[in-house]
């Protein structure tokens, strides 16, 4: 901890806040290298003034980790995410909803590295936290089921991925209604499972529903529409529906 006077500490913390805000602005402008330098300067100040286990240090570590991931420094990013998680678990408790954010971030990073087993572990933990903390029909729980299903599917556990996608779809429809782009996304994901299982008619039905939703809710040049049409054409082609495809 620092031996500075209270006034000096406040001045230093204001500087750290300004450096962090500058970093965030630089990130939005695409200057990641300079942003990272700003973040680390802010981090050094906050660690010196507040201590290494302060929640503000954890929040700043998370910002730096996100940016490091964006520039491909995955190992360093993972290290900072783990430090963030350790701080937030110590400060808020391991079951606090805020820790699910870091579990999700670590899972996304592990997926980038192809480490789906560790990603699955973090996503399972995030799902458990959200189920204990949020209302049963909350879209955050739907997203958590979807993320777990994605990893299961990538690991080749197709039969286990299906009920997770089904749970995600049911909850998301309850939360936001059937005609929502997030629902269309889950329908696409579940359709991919059915396609891999050879259940082409089931996949086609879901893809038709997703396309109908996205046509209603998205602009005509939205990339999701092109994805819907491509997936639908692929499944129809597998069924020999060449004119429709």
């Amino acid at each position: 901890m620092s031996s500075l006077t209270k006034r000096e500490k406040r001045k230093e913390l204001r500087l750290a806040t300004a450096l962090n805000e500058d970093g965030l602005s630089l990130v939005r402008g695409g200057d990641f290298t300079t942003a990272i330098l700003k973040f680390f300067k802010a981090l050094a100040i906050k660690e010196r003034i507040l201590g290494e286990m302060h929640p503000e240090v954890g929040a700043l570590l998370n910002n730096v980790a996100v940016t490091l991931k964006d520039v491909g420094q995955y190992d360093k990013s993972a290290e900072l995410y783990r430090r963030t998680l350790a701080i937030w678990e110590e400060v808020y408790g391991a079951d606090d909803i805020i820790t699910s954010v870091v579990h999700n971030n670590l899972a996304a990073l592990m997926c980038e590295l192809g480490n789906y087993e560790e990603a699955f572990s973090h996503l399972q933990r995030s799902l458990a936290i959200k189920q204990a903390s949020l209302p049963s029909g909350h879209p955050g729980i739907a997203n958590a089921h979807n993320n777990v299903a994605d990893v299961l599917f990538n690991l080749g556990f197709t039969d286990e991925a299906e009920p997770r996608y089904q749970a995600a779809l049911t909850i998301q429809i309850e939360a936001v209604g059937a005609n929502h782009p997030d629902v269309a996304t889950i329908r696409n994901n579940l359709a991919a499972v059915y396609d891999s299982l050879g259940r082409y008619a089931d996949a086609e039905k879901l893809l038709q529903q997703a396309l109908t939703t996205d046509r209603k809710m998205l602009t005509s040049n939205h990339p999701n529409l092109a994805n819907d049409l491509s997936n639908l054409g692929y499944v129809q082609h597998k069924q020999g529906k060449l004119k429709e495809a």
Side-chain angles (χ1 to χ4, degrees), residues 18-30 35 38-39 63 67:
L19 286 166
N20 184 54
E21 290 174 353
D22 287 347
L24 292 171
S25 178
L26 287 162
V27 167
R28 288 191 290 271
K38 296 275 189 179
F39 286 144
N63 287 349
T67 309

Side-chain angles (χ1 to χ4, degrees), residues 165 169 181-194 203 206-207 209-211 214 224 227-232:
Y165 281 135
L169 183 60
D182 289 346
V183 172
T185 297
I186 299 172
R187 282 178 168 145
N188 263 286
N189 293 341
L190 183 55
V193 169
Y194 289 152
L206 286 167
L207 292 169
Q209 291 171 333
L211 178 61
D214 284 343
N224 283 13
N227 184 61
D228 292 340
L229 288 166
S230 175
N231 292 341
L232 180 60

Side-chain angles (χ1 to χ4, degrees), residues 169-182:
L169 183 60
T170 299
I171 296 169
Q172 198 72 283
I173 289 173
E174 179 185 344
V176 300
N179 284 315
H180 192 283
D182 289 346

Side-chain angles (χ1 to χ4, degrees), residues 196-244:
S196 69
L197 293 172
R199 294 169 57 181
Y200 302 127
D202 291 332
E204 182 180 2
K205 179 180 178 181
L206 286 167
L207 292 169
Q208 290 280 16
Q209 291 171 333
L211 178 61
T212 298
T213 293
D214 284 343
R215 277 177 168 161
K216 286 180 180 177
M217 305 304 294
L218 303 176
T219 58
S220 60
N221 61 346
H222 196 283
N224 283 13
L225 280 170
N227 184 61
D228 292 340
L229 288 166
S230 175
N231 292 341
L232 180 60
Y234 179 73
V235 168
Q236 288 174 335
H237 179 75
K238 281 190 169 183
Q239 295 176 89
K241 298 180 178 181
L242 300 182
K243 289 184 179 180
E244 294 179 54

Side-chain angles (χ1 to χ4, degrees), residues 26-27 30-40 67 71 73:
L26 287 162
V27 167
D31 188 353
F32 298 109
T33 301
T34 309
I36 289 168
L37 293 174
K38 296 275 189 179
F39 286 144
F40 273 116
T67 309
V71 298
Q73 295 188 36

